[in-house]
Amino acid sequence: MPRELSAYHRRMAATNRATILEAATELFLELGFDRTSLAQVAARAGVSKATLFKQFPTKAELFTAMVLRAGEAHGSESLQAPAGDFRSGLVVLGTAYVELLSRPRMAELIRAVITESSRFPELREQTFDFGTLPVLRALRQFLEAANERGDAQVDDLDVASAQFLGMIATVVFWPRLVHGNWSLTDDETSRTVDEAARTITARYGTSIRRPARGADRVNERAR
C-alpha cells in the first residue's frame, strides 16, 4: 500500500505542477506541439526531467493538462448571480464569460486546440466547452434556481446555456480568433451581453406570457 504524501510534499507537487504547466503553455504556444520537447519544458520550468515525468509521462498528457487548466477561471467558484432578477443575473454571468474569454493568450490556446484536434480526438470531447466550463456551471445553477423560483421556464438547460453563451462569443470572441486585430469598446461589449440577456429573457423569462406545451401542439395541428 503506497505511503500517503505529507502536506509538505503535496504542496511541492502542486507547485511543481503549476510551474510545469506554465512553462509548457509558453513553449507549446511559441513552438507548437511537434517542436516542443519534455526536456525543454523541464528546463524552462526549472525542474528535473524525473520530476516532470512523474507528473506527465508523455507530451500528449502534458498538452492535454495544459489545455484543460486554461479552461478554468480563477475565482469562478465564488461567481454568484443576483437572485430575483432574471435578466440582471444573466448580465452578470455574461460579463464573467467575456472576462474569461479575454484572459491573456486565450485565443492562442483555443487556436492550438483547433490545430492539434486531429492528433487528440479525445481532447476535442474533453474541451467541447473549453474556456466556458466555470461560467457554464454557474449558468446552469442560475437557470435551475430561476426555474425553481418561477422566474423562468427553461425546459433544456444545456440548449439555453449554449444559446446565451453562443450569442456573446459570436460577437466578442470568434472574430478575434480569426482576425487578430478585432476589438470592441467596453460599451460595445456591454451592449452585446445585454442584448443576449434580453433575448434569453424574452424567450424563457416568465414575465413573457407563452402558451403551455400542450397548447403549442394543439396550435401546430390547427395549422
Side-chain angles (χ1 to χ4, degrees):
M1 185 174 178
R3 187 175 61 183
E4 186 177 346
L5 292 175
S6 67
Y8 169 78
H9 285 96
R10 287 197 298 273
R11 286 196 302 272
M12 286 298 298
T15 299
N16 286 336
R17 182 181 179 85
T19 303
I20 290 167
L21 288 173
E22 193 61 40
T25 300
E26 294 173 359
L27 285 166
F28 279 131
L29 295 183
E30 288 172 16
L31 305 176
F33 182 86
D34 287 329
R35 292 195 299 146
T36 298
S37 70
L38 291 178
Q40 288 172 305
V41 175
R44 175 142 329 174
V47 301
S48 68
K49 285 188 282 187
T51 296
L52 186 148
F53 292 147
K54 189 180 297 182
Q55 300 231 22
F56 305 103
T58 68
K59 187 163 66 167
E61 290 179 68
L62 178 58
F63 183 84
T64 300
M66 175 202 75
V67 171
L68 295 178
R69 171 179 177 259
E72 292 296 325
H74 299 299
S76 60
E77 300 82 2
S78 60
L79 181 60
Q80 294 289 333
D85 187 329
F86 190 56
R87 187 170 70 84
S88 294
L90 289 171
V91 169
V92 169
L93 292 166
T95 301
Y97 183 45
V98 170
E99 291 171 356
L100 174 61
L101 293 181
S102 301
R103 288 173 62 191
R105 300 195 120 174
M106 182 60 77
E108 293 175 80
L109 285 162
I110 294 184
R111 195 175 288 116
V113 172
I114 295 170
T115 301
E116 302 297 340
S117 62
S118 61
R119 191 193 304 267
F120 303 110
E122 72 284 355
L123 185 60
R124 283 201 305 270
E125 296 182 11
Q126 286 178 289
T127 59
F128 179 77
D129 296 304
F130 176 71
T132 73
L133 283 174
V135 175
L136 189 60
R137 286 193 294 267
L139 180 56
R140 277 187 62 94
Q141 292 169 359
F142 173 76
L143 294 176
E144 287 175 345
N147 274 349
E148 291 174 3
R149 289 193 306 269
D151 295 337
Q153 183 183 325
V154 182
D155 296 325
D156 192 320
L157 299 176
D158 292 331
V159 168
S161 298
Q163 289 170 338
F164 179 55
L165 299 183
M167 282 187 284
I168 295 171
T170 296
V171 177
V172 172
F173 180 74
W174 292 114
R176 180 158 53 90
L177 194 66
V178 178
H179 308 288
N181 59 351
W182 175 267
S183 64
L184 297 174
T185 65
D186 290 343
D187 285 344
E188 289 171 332
T189 299
S190 295
R191 281 201 303 274
T192 298
V193 172
D194 189 61
E195 286 300 321
R198 287 177 182 276
T199 300
I200 293 299
T201 301
R203 172 63 181 85
Y204 297 107
T206 52
S207 61
I208 306 299
R209 302 180 67 86
R210 299 189 307 277
R213 275 184 269 178
D216 286 337
R217 288 194 288 269
V218 170
N219 290 336
E220 286 174 10
R221 283 200 287 276
R223 294 194 200 105

